[in-house]
């Protein structure tokens, strides 16, 4: 096993050296070979984009006990510096540096982490020293963070959220290639002005539309109804479409002076559900409730009664759908009942938008406008 490891390391090193240092032109008559090579290297480095990697944890930084284990690994074992060192090929496409924002599984990402991340990205991207940002993240809630950044980042510069389905120790780990591609995308001209992007498995998704659709498959991130924005193929970035929904520089949401986000909870609609769920949410401090309604966002009679009671206690109600696809129809009855509908946002993304909306208003009509535009 050790010999095998040595052979693989030597092969990787050889590959790395070839990849990072492509053919250097012969020395000119005016200088020595090493001077010429040095000048070439300086010119090349000067042209490379500066990409900052902000690490938050997840499987991409996970380590398992064996190289065949793709579940049951420990998250948070690898730091951003180790992630960067593991993909030396990135040096040929960007000047990469890293910061550790968190090191947790993505179900443990909190509103505080979101605010810290969004604020840090805004500071970084306002500097001419940073051309793009990559966020490494667990895949379970990756779409929530990506959509949050899509709404609060105040820059046209690329923000790419990336993860991996297999831990770094697995055979065929997908993290290194995903990270390499994410850095390439974050440093590119093509990705500017497209909002926060999600990159896994060569596909480029818009934070607004992409969602995790499978528990373990590498091909889990899909934009079910709306398609991907593009892909990276043959080492080239291809964009085919873009989101028409407001984001980044066109977004009204500003977190600069926000120190916390209002509590919004998600309640799932199902047979035999009860009013008590709504009461519990409001009693625990919910200022908004997103309902993962059945079908076209429908509620049971008890759900309706619970929602009404929650409204009377001051919470804003958003009807979303548990189906995983489609737009929730907004009817005159919604206006009468002061229900907001989530458009095509799934419940977890509707929660993100509702938190940001509630930070400035609790008027359902104004909040509905946000859902129609973002
Ligand atoms: N449970 C992990 C997380 O979301 C899964 C992953 O990263 O893919 O942090």
């Amino acid at each position: 096993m050790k010999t095998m490891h040595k052979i693989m390391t030597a092969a990787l090193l050889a590959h790395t050296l070839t990849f990072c240092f492509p053919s250097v032109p012969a020395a000119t008559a005016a200088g020595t070979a090493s001077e010429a090579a040095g000048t070439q290297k300086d010119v090349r480095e000067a042209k490379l984009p500066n990409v900052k990697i902000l690490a938050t944890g997840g499987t991409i930084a996970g380590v398992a006990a064996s190289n065949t284990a793709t579940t049951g690994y420990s998250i948070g074992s690898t730091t951003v510096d180790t992630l960067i060192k593991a993909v030396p090929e990135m040096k040929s496409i960007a000047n990469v540096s890293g910061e550790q924002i968190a090191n947790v599984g993505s179900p443990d990402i909190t509103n505080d982490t979101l605010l810290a991340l969004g604020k840090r990205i805004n500071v970084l991207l306002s500097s001419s020293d940073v051309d793009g940002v990559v966020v490494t993240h667990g895949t379970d809630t990756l779409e929530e963070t990506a959509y949050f950044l899509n709404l609060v980042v105040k820059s046209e510069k690329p923000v790419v959220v990336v993860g991996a389905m297999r831990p770094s120790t697995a055979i065929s780990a997908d993290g290194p290639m995903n990270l390499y591609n994410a850095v390439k995308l974050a440093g590119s001209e093509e990705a500017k002005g497209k909002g926060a992007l999600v990159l896994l498995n060569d596909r480029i998704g818009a934070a607004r539309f992409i969602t995790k659709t499978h528990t373990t498959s590498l091909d889990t991130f899909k934009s079910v109804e709306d398609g991907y924005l593009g892909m990276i193929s043959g080492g080239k970035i291809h964009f085919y479409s873009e989101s028409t929904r407001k984001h980044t520089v066109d977004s009204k949401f500003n977190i600069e002076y926000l120190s916390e986000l209002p509590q919004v909870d998600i309640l799932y609609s199902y047979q035999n559900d009860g009013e008590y769920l709504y009461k519990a949410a409001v009693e625990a401090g919910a200022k908004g409730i997103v309902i993962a309604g059945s079908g076209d966002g429908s509620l049971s009679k008890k759900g309706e009664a619970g929602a009404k009671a929650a409204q009377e206690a001051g919470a804003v109600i958003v009807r979303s759908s548990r189906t995983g696809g489609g737009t929730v129809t907004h009817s005159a009855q919604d206006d009468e009942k002061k229900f907001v509908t989530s458009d095509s946002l799934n419940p977890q993304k509707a929660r993100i938008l509702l938190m940001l909306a509630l930070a400035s208003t609790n008027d359902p009509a104004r909040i509905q406008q946000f859902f129609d535009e973002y």
Side-chain angles (χ1 to χ4, degrees), residues 5-26:
H5 181 73
K6 272 187 192 158
I7 294 170
M8 284 178 69
T9 312
L12 183 68
L13 196 65
H15 160 72
T16 302
L17 291 174
T18 331
F19 197 86
C20 288
F21 301 104
S23 58
V24 176

Side-chain angles (χ1 to χ4, degrees), residues 111 114 139-152 161 196-198 204-213 220-229 243 245-246 253 261 264-266 289-292 318-322 324-326 340-358 367 370-371 374:
N111 290 349
L114 291 182
T139 58
D140 290 353
T141 69
L142 186 149
E143 66 201 67
E144 295 167 50
T145 297
Y147 186 52
F148 179 79
L149 297 177
N150 194 54
L151 298 175
V152 304
V161 191
L197 300 172
V198 172
I204 305 166
R208 169 64 174 77
F209 299 111
I210 199 119
T211 189
K212 188 174 185 181
T213 64
T220 176
F221 278 89
K222 302 223 154 93
S223 284
V224 182
E225 291 293 320
D226 309 282
Y228 298 108
L229 297 190
S243 169
R245 292 308 181 103
K246 282 188 183 170
F253 301 110
L261 289 164
V264 172
D265 292 302
I266 301 174
I289 294 174
V290 174
I291 302 166
V318 174
R319 287 197 308 118
S320 181
S321 172
R322 66 179 202 182
V340 175
T341 46
S342 73
D343 193 274
S344 66
L345 285 178
N346 64 24
Q348 57 271 32
K349 288 191 201 179
R351 174 184 165 270
I352 297 288
L353 180 53
L354 184 54
M355 286 195 298
L356 287 167
L358 285 170
I367 294 175
F370 290 138
F371 276 86
Y374 292 84

